[in-house]
Amino acid sequence: MSTTAVDTLRSQVSGTVVAPGDADYEAARKVYNGMIDKRPAAVVRCNGSADVAAVVRLARAEGLDLSVRGGGHSAPGFGTNDGGLVIDLSPLQDVVVSPDAQTAIAGGGCTWSTFNDATYAAGLATTGGIIGSTGIAGLTLGGGIGYLARQYGLSCDNLLRAEVVTADGEVLTASERDHRDLFWALRGGGGNFGVVTQFEYQLHPVADIYGGPIAYPADRADDVLRFYRDYIAEAPESFGGFVGFHLAPPLPFLPDEWHFKNICLGVTCWTGPMDQGEKMVQPFLDVVEPVGSMVGPMPYPALNTAFDPLLPAGLQGYWKASFARGLSDDAIAVHADYGARVPSIQTAVHLYPINGAVQRVADDATAFAYRDVDFAPVIAGMWDNPADNDANIEWVRGYYDALRPYSVDGGYINFMDSDDQSRIKANYRGNFDRLGAIKAEYDPTNLFHLNQNIQPRP
């Protein structure tokens, strides 16, 4: 892109345009995954939908690649590119909570920590992720699995309205009343249909929860997973959380001799009456003697950010995801095997439950098609040293391949990497053709293609 085009862009937006040679260009071009090293022609920190529309129009006119960055957590690094434009939504951080209506309107650049802090002040929350630095935009547009999903559904199920800049630079409001087909597609279809600059969510009465992490010896993982499978199938929907695998971090609630050793981890979240919390969590403490635990009353935002200190921006990253209708003994054996070999302190393997409220939504009610599965296993490989890339990527792929006989064809797009494009049709099942038609209506030239891409189809 020419210097003249950059100057033109600077004259058209109120936000900051950062180009090569600017003092903060190196910082502006980086995304969460340190494995991604790309050099866009300009990063535009947009102050609102008008700025976004200006960038969209220029990218279309110049035939440039266009990336959209909310929280920047995309494992494939879709929030940047080489030689194109980047819409950086990070200035859009406002959260306006309406306690009486139990709703919140949030800017497209918000992270879940910012959002949850704002709603907690009103004693409210909605389903979000488990990492506070995750952007609300990417998580919601891909579905949105989190601690509250069993009780209140996915993040996208709680979306009431979205302000969207489409591929022609038009600013639309999508909801159940306006542009209903676009609203349908945004709820699970990812970033294929436009740039969402504002989200309005339904909130729920969640403030303090009872729960926290419980660490078990990795060699007892089969017992923990069998218990978890049976417990979560019958537990009240006020009980959320997950089990998984980590290397034990050096935290005070874990004995020194367990630091940096493989563990099976349970993270519990009870949002029902506080005086019932101990009873609901106690079975997780009884199934296997823990090596350490930190459970009790805590603010929901504290649980939502518990993993953040382990996961700073700049780590190397490679992720995989699947869905499973159940958790068979054979699948448990795979998890126990690979889970005992987690290769780094930052790597996280989690088995999220998505029964309860998630399954009460029809498969075709939103773009998120997998309403008949019970678990979403995700393998988020993250580590410090690029020298470990080949070995750790091989471990992630091996784990994912070993789970395939016990998984359905599609998976959770928010945890898919750049080599998962061939899975797009399976990820959306019977919703795929409708998504292609909506893509053809709102983005016929596929301007928004740096994502888990849905091609426009008549």
Side-chain angles (χ1 to χ4, degrees):
M1 193 169 80
S2 67
T3 303
T4 302
V6 172
D7 290 340
T8 299
L9 188 56
R10 286 187 167 123
S11 71
Q12 293 176 342
V13 302
S14 64
T16 305
V17 178
V18 185
D22 291 342
D24 53 349
Y25 176 75
E26 288 302 311
R29 73 182 184 88
K30 292 180 180 178
V31 290
Y32 187 75
N33 187 351
M35 197 180 290
I36 309 301
D37 183 24
K38 296 188 176 181
R39 306 186 69 84
V43 176
V44 187
R45 294 171 177 149
C46 296
N47 285 335
S49 57
D51 283 0
V52 171
V55 181
V56 166
R57 287 192 292 265
L58 181 63
R60 190 184 66 218
E62 297 284 334
L64 297 170
D65 277 342
L66 179 64
S67 295
V68 184
R69 183 190 305 169
H73 273 229
S74 163
F78 290 139
T80 190
N81 61 68
D82 280 321
L85 297 175
V86 174
I87 292 172
D88 182 350
L89 299 175
S90 60
L92 305 183
Q93 292 285 330
D94 288 347
V95 182
V96 179
V97 180
S98 298
D100 292 340
Q102 295 192 354
T103 60
I105 297 173
C110 277
T111 62
W112 284 107
S113 60
T114 299
F115 183 90
N116 289 332
D117 286 346
T119 61
Y120 177 76
L124 300 167
T126 199
T127 305
I130 67 155
I131 305 297
S133 58
T134 303
I136 66 169
L139 189 99
T140 301
L141 296 176
I145 297 171
Y147 291 112
L148 307 181
R150 295 187 70 240
Q151 187 173 14
Y152 296 121
L154 304 172
S155 302
C156 71
D157 297 334
N158 290 279
L159 184 64
L160 300 175
R161 181 184 62 83
E163 179 184 81
V164 190
V165 180
T166 60
D168 60 3
E170 187 176 0
V171 183
L172 304 178
T173 296
S175 69
E176 289 287 7
R177 294 195 308 173
D178 301 305
H179 301 284
R180 294 182 64 184
D181 54 348
L182 176 60
F183 186 58
W184 179 89
L186 292 173
R187 289 175 290 165
N192 279 280
F193 305 96
V195 185
V196 181
T197 52
Q198 191 179 84
F199 295 79
E200 182 176 4
Y201 294 96
Q202 183 68 59
L203 303 179
H204 308 278
V206 177
D208 293 344
I209 62 94
Y210 191 99
I214 305 168
Y216 309 95
D219 61 7
R220 298 297 304 277
D222 53 349
D223 294 321
V224 175
L225 289 177
R226 281 195 291 268
F227 156 76
Y228 168 70
R229 172 188 64 194
D230 298 337
Y231 188 88
I232 207 68
E234 302 295 336
E237 292 176 3
S238 300
F239 190 93
F242 57 87
V243 295
F245 298 92
H246 285 257
L247 287 182
L251 296 174
F253 75 91
L254 294 173
D256 290 351
E257 62 269 23
W258 277 93
H259 292 176
F260 303 103
K261 290 186 177 180
N262 286 100
I263 57 169
C264 177
L265 184 72
V267 181
T268 57
C269 176
W270 170 252
T271 62
M274 193 62 66
D275 60 3
Q276 297 177 19
E278 184 175 357
K279 175 185 175 182
M280 297 306 302
V281 171
Q282 189 62 43
F284 280 80
L285 298 169
D286 293 339
V287 60
V288 167
E289 183 176 357
V291 301
S293 65
M294 189 180 71
V295 297
M298 68 179 73
Y300 172 69
L303 183 64
N304 183 252
T305 57
F307 289 91
D308 285 28
L310 290 173
L311 302 172
L315 297 171
Q316 308 291 294
Y318 182 77
W319 299 359
K320 288 290 178 208
S322 57
F323 287 129
R325 287 197 173 88
L327 190 56
S328 68
D329 288 347
D330 288 341
I332 287 173
V334 172
H335 285 296
D337 176 21
Y338 278 87
R341 295 184 279 125
V342 169
S344 69
I345 195 71
Q346 299 92 354
T347 289
V349 179
H350 295 163
L351 282 71
Y352 298 123
I354 49 173
N355 57 354
V358 178
Q359 295 182 348
R360 288 197 295 275
V361 178
D363 288 352
D364 60 355
T366 68
F368 188 96
Y370 281 89
R371 303 290 184 161
D372 59 345
V373 295
D374 296 316
F375 299 101
V378 301
I379 309 166
M382 293 171 281
W383 55 93
D384 284 311
N385 192 344
D388 298 329
N389 286 6
D390 289 345
N392 289 352
I393 290 172
E394 182 180 359
W395 177 85
V396 172
R397 287 175 173 164
Y399 197 156
Y400 166 73
D401 287 342
L403 284 179
R404 289 181 69 179
Y406 316 107
S407 305
V408 299
D409 289 340
Y412 183 33
I413 66 166
N414 284 347
F415 276 85
M416 293 197 171
D417 223 297
S418 56
D419 53 2
D420 282 313
Q421 185 62 40
S422 63
R423 300 177 65 190
I424 291 299
K425 187 172 184 177
N427 293 341
Y428 291 108
R429 293 201 297 190
N431 293 336
F432 182 72
D433 288 342
R434 182 180 176 187
L435 285 165
I438 296 171
K439 177 76 168 181
E441 179 180 357
Y442 287 96
D443 185 17
T445 64
N446 205 11
L447 176 67
F448 300 114
H449 64 274
L450 294 178
N451 44 47
Q452 298 293 348
N453 192 235
I454 297 167
Q455 297 282 327
R457 287 175 172 78

